[in-house]
Amino acid sequence: MPAFSRSRGHAARAAVALLAALAACSSSTPDASVAAEADLVLLNGRVYTLSWPEPGRDGRPSPDAPFDSATGWRHDATAVAVKAGRIVYVGTDSGARAIAAANAQVVDLGGQTLLPGLVDAHTHVAELGQSLDRVNLTGVATEAEAVARIAERAARTPKGEWILGYGWDEGAWANRYPDKRLLSARVPDHPVILRSLHGFASWANERALTLAGITRETPSPAGGEIRRDGEGNPTGLVLNRAVPLLDDAVPLPTPSQRDAQLLRALRVMAAAGYTGVHEAGVAPDVMDSFERLASRDSLPLRVYAMLSARDSALIRRWIARGPFTAPNGMLVVRAVKAYYDGALGSRGAQMLADYADRPGHRGVSGGAYGFDQRLVADAMSAGFQVGIHAIGDAGNRATLDFIDSVQRAAPAARNQRHRVEHAQVIAPADIARFASMGVVASVQPPHAVEDKGWAETRVGAERMAGAYAWRTLREAGAPLVFSSDLPGSDWSPFYGLHSAMTREDTSGAPPGGWYPAQRMSAEEAVRGYTVWSAHAGFDDADGGPIAVGRRADFTVMTVDPFRAAPRELLRGSVVLTVSRGRVTYRR
């Protein structure tokens, strides 16, 4: 555990002027523009600044990296000093102590590892905030077990109140989807809606169906399916674009409830070591809440908000308003999240050829899935970045075609680091287009290890050459960024790093990794959650590497991901999170 103290800094003052004068010579000396001493000093750490050049496309470290083949990685600093939220010194313990103010907060890291602040580049923290009060069905193997958990919650919930759950796996359950019968019999007096792990399926009891107005006469929406029994009655299971039919029946939280949910979720993320999130698909009431929290300087970490393109009125308002950054930089609105196709697990991802396990079926996409080309193109033309959800090879190809067409037509849409969210199954012929177009492949390492049990069954062995193909994308020169897609996957950075580096699940299966040629190096994995996130979120000037003048965002952990055996990562823990020079979590 890091030791906290207050330094009087009596010996420091004589050295301040000299050190400031040397600032222009090296990033390991204080920032000459900062007249006062540092207010936060972190000492005795294994500091990896990531300020050296990028690794090669094959993962080999740059010749200028603190690495050699004989001894491996070494940290390139032991201390950092901060003033007013900015880094003013990176280097040795003695150098940092020399500029500590009399009342500076001094932290002895005890030899633990300090990295640039971690950023989860694809989150749903609004859902996380709600899910903290919901019934967690993650890892539940059977319908009966899930219903038992809901019945347990119902026994201590007043009749008539909504019961919400999440986390049953729509991919693993795809050949044995549940229905309303057992759920309605065991829990008749509460409306119940249970969202799936990745949100592309939802399961309800009879009372919830009634409140949602879903009957045998209700048509399935474009791009969605209301499952029906042999007599045409809803079974209680909806897929893809039919999920909102149930979601919309649940009352929205009040503004104060929404603020509390978001703060709770963001504090969970700070405790997990994150100093920023890219929130994908922000709805109007959530956007209002982020703005309220930002105006009060209450956001514990930086939020890069991606507005939901499923709400055309919201997007039109922001097109008129234009991109926005809060005065303190903790809220940025300059991106739009759209959906081109569905999920692979629920067979909604759009494929170029039939699903291997369902002949004649190729998924849903485009206008049939609610993708509004004109709306998204107008946002891009107004200077907004777009992040488009695309899972299948047909979905990815059509998404790249769309981005290319808008960039060609609208100068303001160019060089906006547009993103494909998930980029999960890509035709090999399309992989090089990510690099040539500058499109970021926004991928989730946990998805590979979570989907490995059924993914090849869906797409067939031949198409796996372009599936979850991180190394192939890197070799083609495509920009990458890593994330969790929480709460659908565990947001632990140790789980994410382990998944990226090994492609093994937490039990070590399969030994050596699933399609191991696609594994990332330790440096690439760390960059995927730090420097590459800064690029994807237009935070290059302030975020990313640890260097003088940048925002003071740090994550301190018990394990060194550059030197530890990958399995050791899973035993790691976060001991300190610093966001904008403020300690937001300490163990």
Side-chain angles (χ1 to χ4, degrees):
M1 182 179 298
F4 288 77
S5 66
R6 296 286 175 179
S7 170
R8 293 295 173 187
H10 295 303
R13 292 184 174 85
V16 170
L18 174 61
L19 290 169
L22 294 173
C25 301
S26 170
S27 65
S28 62
T29 54
D31 184 349
S33 67
V34 179
E37 298 100 326
D39 52 42
L40 173 66
V41 176
L42 307 180
L43 305 169
N44 189 23
R46 300 176 60 83
V47 179
Y48 290 91
T49 67
L50 270 71
S51 57
W52 57 87
E54 289 273 322
R57 295 179 181 182
D58 60 359
R60 293 182 184 178
S62 162
D64 297 325
F67 172 89
D68 67 66
S69 56
T71 60
W73 285 97
R74 61 188 182 277
H75 54 285
D76 56 331
T78 64
V80 294
V82 176
K83 171 65 179 176
R86 294 279 169 179
I87 300 170
V88 295
Y89 176 82
V90 183
T92 65
D93 291 359
S94 59
R97 285 188 183 279
I99 61 166
N103 62 345
Q105 186 178 24
V106 178
V107 186
D108 186 334
L109 299 179
Q112 296 176 115
T113 298
L114 186 151
L115 300 175
L118 300 176
V119 176
D120 192 325
H122 185 116
T123 67
H124 305 281
V125 294
E127 290 183 24
L128 175 60
Q130 291 178 313
S131 71
L132 295 173
D133 296 320
R134 296 182 177 186
V135 182
N136 187 348
L137 303 176
T138 306
V140 168
T142 67
E143 177 181 354
E145 183 183 352
V147 171
R149 291 194 186 185
I150 301 304
E152 180 183 356
R153 173 66 65 88
R156 47 190 170 87
T157 303
K159 290 183 178 181
E161 288 192 10
W162 284 86
I163 295 176
L164 305 176
Y166 76 99
W168 62 275
D169 192 333
E170 69 265 54
W173 290 27
N175 296 322
R176 49 182 175 88
Y177 277 144
D179 60 36
K180 66 185 178 183
R181 292 175 295 176
L182 181 60
L183 185 59
S184 300
R186 293 286 306 278
V187 189
D189 300 321
H190 303 76
V192 179
I193 294 177
L194 309 177
R195 285 284 296 271
S196 65
L197 185 64
H198 299 295
F200 291 92
S202 203
W203 165 28
N205 68 352
E206 188 65 56
R207 187 154 186 175
L209 290 173
T210 299
L211 291 175
I214 299 176
T215 69
R216 62 180 297 137
E217 284 75 36
T218 305
S220 291
E225 179 186 359
I226 300 172
R227 283 288 178 97
R228 305 177 192 273
D229 62 21
E231 299 178 356
N233 296 310
T235 67
L237 194 284
V238 297
L239 296 170
N240 296 307
R241 289 298 294 141
V243 169
L245 297 179
L246 288 174
D247 286 349
D248 292 346
V250 181
L252 285 175
T254 66
S256 61
Q257 288 172 332
R258 180 65 85 185
D259 291 355
Q261 288 176 350
L262 287 174
L263 279 175
R264 185 179 175 190
L266 291 172
R267 287 169 183 148
V268 167
M269 294 302 288
Y274 293 101
T275 62
V277 295
H278 295 186
E279 179 72 345
V282 179
D285 71 308
V286 177
M287 193 65 249
D288 291 343
S289 182
F290 280 137
E291 291 198 82
R292 283 192 299 272
L293 295 171
S295 69
R296 300 197 294 261
D297 197 16
S298 296
L299 293 172
L301 46 82
R302 183 176 184 269
V303 175
Y304 185 77
M306 305 170 71
L307 301 163
S308 174
R310 286 176 169 170
D311 193 304
S312 59
L314 173 72
I315 300 302
R316 291 296 176 194
R317 286 198 301 272
W318 276 93
I319 288 175
R321 182 176 174 181
F324 165 80
T325 300
N328 63 10
M330 296 299 280
L331 175 64
V332 178
V333 186
R334 63 163 302 160
V336 170
K337 164 73 182 303
Y339 288 82
Y340 194 84
D341 66 355
L344 191 64
S346 58
R347 301 186 183 91
Q350 184 72 17
M351 307 301 292
L352 292 169
D354 294 353
Y355 275 79
D357 59 352
R358 184 177 288 181
H361 180 71
R362 296 191 179 186
V364 293
S365 68
Y369 199 66
F371 184 75
D372 187 333
Q373 286 198 25
R374 174 48 51 200
L375 180 71
V376 177
D378 286 350
M380 294 170 67
S381 299
F384 283 86
Q385 178 194 57
V386 66
I388 302 177
H389 166 114
I391 298 276
D393 49 11
N396 274 278
R397 176 170 294 177
T399 295
L400 292 170
D401 289 345
F402 169 76
I403 293 173
D404 186 47
S405 68
V406 178
Q407 289 187 142
R408 289 176 184 275
R414 300 169 193 162
N415 304 315
Q416 293 298 332
R417 305 178 192 179
H418 301 301
R419 300 161 52 154
V420 175
E421 304 300 318
H422 310 305
Q424 207 157 299
V425 183
I426 308 169
D430 291 326
I431 286 177
R433 298 178 67 192
F434 281 82
S436 64
M437 293 169 58
V439 172
V440 178
S442 173
V443 301
Q444 294 71 44
H447 285 183
V449 299
E450 291 164 359
D451 297 354
K452 61 182 171 55
W454 48 262
E456 188 167 336
T457 302
R458 294 280 189 282
V459 304
E462 185 174 328
R463 280 185 288 205
M464 289 304 297
Y468 311 86
W470 316 324
R471 174 61 60 204
T472 305
L473 283 160
R474 277 278 291 151
E475 288 175 344
L480 292 181
V481 67
F482 296 157
S483 60
S484 69
D485 194 18
L486 66 84
S489 293
D490 190 329
W491 52 91
S492 162
F494 305 103
Y495 176 49
L497 292 168
H498 179 267
S499 299
M501 292 162 62
T502 70
R503 293 176 68 101
E504 298 175 355
D505 62 26
T506 55
S507 71
W514 186 59
Y515 289 89
Q518 300 295 338
R519 292 177 301 192
M520 294 283 97
S521 69
E523 180 186 3
E524 289 170 316
V526 172
R527 285 182 180 272
Y529 288 98
T530 55
V531 177
W532 296 349
S533 294
H535 170 81
F538 291 89
D539 196 25
D540 310 64
D542 280 347
I546 296 172
V548 169
R550 292 179 180 267
R551 191 175 58 246
D553 289 354
F554 314 122
T555 304
V556 181
M557 55 183 62
T558 59
V559 63
D560 181 342
F562 284 88
R563 296 189 64 87
R567 291 292 296 169
E568 292 179 22
L569 286 170
L570 298 175
R571 295 189 288 273
S573 61
V574 169
V575 295
L576 185 72
T577 308
V578 177
S579 182
R580 197 167 42 115
R582 300 186 296 189
V583 175
T584 56
Y585 170 78
R586 69 172 178 256
R587 191 178 65 176

